[in-house]
Amino acid sequence: MNPLELAELLAAPTQPPVREALRELAPRELDTLVIEALAATEAAWRQVVVSRVKAFAAGQPGDGRPTVVAAYFTTTERRAADGMHLGWGPFVAALSDSEDVPDLRPTRTTATAVPVGEAELAEEVFADPELAAALNRLTVLDPPDYGDVLRVHLPTRMVTRISR
């Protein structure tokens, strides 16, 4: 069985052959499978982020603009029924044409209340849905802290969380 065939089977874990195979695994093997599956899932979502950022950077206007090396995302708070949640904002906070991390600290301290639903509407209208979905999944898999920045390094396709 080649990796693609195995991936197709694992993508449908409720199908009889996969379900039966999972039932035969010992608890230690099941734990190993979960750890590996989560790591592979996180890596795949990171590559979705890289692909969408590359598409965004390629679509930026201006000939003669230096090649984009990295893009950065900052955190944002979202209201939910069970309280506030911190996640990655669905919009690129900065593009950089060098290896230097730009200063992404807030430039003012005034908080502005956003009406419920307005942030979601802006995301729906302006954000790349695939990028937003990938950032939301990464938030669940590896929750950010206040002040963290997500760096997408395009030449190496690396997505790194930078903590301040």
Side-chain angles (χ1 to χ4, degrees):
M1 175 179 300
N2 68 40
L4 187 56
E5 291 169 334
L6 179 60
E8 287 175 5
L9 285 174
L10 291 175
T14 58
Q15 294 300 313
V18 178
R19 188 174 359 162
E20 290 167 19
L22 291 174
R23 285 185 185 146
E24 296 298 321
L25 293 176
R28 183 176 173 176
E29 294 164 334
L30 285 170
D31 284 343
T32 300
L33 182 62
V34 167
I35 291 166
E36 291 301 318
L38 283 174
T41 300
E42 186 174 351
W45 280 118
R46 288 177 185 270
Q47 290 312 302
V48 171
V49 170
V50 171
S51 297
R52 299 314 306 154
V53 168
K54 281 187 126 174
F56 174 78
Q60 293 304 297
D63 290 333
R65 178 187 169 111
T67 304
V68 174
V69 171
Y72 298 87
F73 294 86
T74 55
T75 56
T76 184
E77 283 188 328
R78 296 181 186 207
R79 289 187 205 127
D82 59 343
M84 296 296 278
H85 293 277
L86 191 63
W88 298 114
F91 306 105
V92 174
L95 292 175
S96 174
D97 57 4
S98 72
E99 296 289 333
D100 299 328
V101 178
D103 184 3
L104 297 171
R105 290 176 296 186
T107 55
R108 56 178 194 229
T109 57
T110 306
T112 305
V114 177
V116 174
E118 192 170 301
E120 290 80 6
L121 178 62
E123 183 176 323
E124 184 178 313
V125 173
F126 299 109
D128 176 336
E130 289 180 57
L131 177 59
L135 290 170
N136 288 337
R137 293 306 299 155
L138 287 177
T139 295
V140 171
L141 294 168
D142 185 18
D145 291 324
Y146 288 95
D148 284 357
V149 172
L150 193 69
R151 179 179 191 241
V152 181
H153 190 255
L154 298 177
T156 61
R157 299 187 64 86
M158 294 291 296
V159 177
T160 311
R161 187 172 92 184
I162 301 169
S163 297
R164 296 188 186 231

